[in-house]
Amino acid sequence: MAIDESGTSEIKSVKKMLLIGDNNNENRWFALTGVIVNKKDMLQIRDSLMNIKLRYWKDGMFCGRRVVFHAADIKHRKNAFSNKFLKNDYDDFLKDLCETLRLLPIKVIGVAIDKYKHIARYINPYDVYEYSLKILLERYAMTIENYSEGSIIFESRSKFLDENVIRSIKKSLSYGTEFMNESNFQKINNEIYCNPKRTDDNKKSYFLLELSDLFAYNFLRKRVKGKESKIYDSFINNIVGYPESEGKGIKIIE
């Protein structure tokens, strides 16, 4: 499972917003999502995404670096997706990307938390990221086959943050959560990776992290904020439990 987030998990600014009555700030929501793939499908998924890059960018590169499907850049037409470089091809690119995503052999899960209500509910609120991660791990454990072994990859942020996330994951795997005991996590091994979106030489990208970025950003945009998102719509059939995904593949806490 590749994990990514959208929004920020910090709550200091949210407390200030509540004090001044700012109830509609977009920073109130945090989402954590996972894209689950079977090892046997990895090459097919990689090649499907790479074919799009080769179609729209020479050798799949932009400014000497591998093109990375970054949701915010795609939405706001920045960097490799700017009007300068995809002036006449943007609509075709987006159509190709969405069609490719729709056909990928993947499963997706997501958790979103209304931080305003989270703060109001608890005197000492749980860490939002850790709380979301526990819920995501529970859904991952319920989703993978009984005979499978799971591993986890998330985008590296900093040594301190990476170590905290790894520690939190291992704690849940070893001791369970409030709603699931440790035996449920036995099929998830301790292979936990922290990677950037590109390799050190910038010649390749970690395509699973690209998928998790695309889903995280658009999950928060469409499912939580109710804004239009063709990319989210292309993922929808892959949400665990769809069309009855609430409480299964999707958990909205508000």
Side-chain angles (χ1 to χ4, degrees), residues 11 15 113-128 131 135 178-179 253:
I11 59 176
K15 290 179 178 178
I113 294 181
D114 182 335
K115 294 188 290 182
Y116 280 38
K117 294 183 179 180
H118 181 69
I119 290 171
R121 188 174 292 122
Y122 302 103
I123 296 175
N124 295 305
Y126 295 112
D127 178 270
V128 171
Y131 185 36
I135 297 170
E178 288 83 354
F179 299 101
I253 303 172

Side-chain angles (χ1 to χ4, degrees), residues 21-40:
D22 182 3
N23 293 318
N24 296 310
N25 194 292
E26 289 199 353
N27 191 43
R28 71 182 294 165
W29 283 98
F30 173 75
L32 194 68
T33 64
V35 174
I36 303 168
V37 303
N38 192 308
K39 188 176 181 179
K40 68 179 178 60

Side-chain angles (χ1 to χ4, degrees), residues 50 59-61 65-68 198 202-205:
M50 192 63 207
D59 299 323
M61 306 291 282
R65 303 195 300 170
R66 172 68 66 215
V67 170
V68 165
R198 292 186 183 88
N202 289 316
K203 301 300 183 184
K204 296 181 180 180
S205 62

Side-chain angles (χ1 to χ4, degrees), residues 91-108:
D91 290 341
D92 289 338
F93 156 72
L94 189 58
K95 180 180 178 181
D96 284 348
L97 176 62
C98 289
E99 181 64 15
T100 297
L101 294 174
R102 187 179 68 82
L103 297 174
L104 290 180
I106 61 176
K107 296 179 180 180
V108 295

Side-chain angles (χ1 to χ4, degrees), residues 6 71-72 75-76 212-222:
S6 188
K75 172 61 184 174
H76 299 293
S212 58
D213 177 278
L214 289 171
F215 184 59
Y217 180 89
N218 289 285
F219 167 66
L220 190 61
R221 177 176 175 80
K222 174 71 179 280

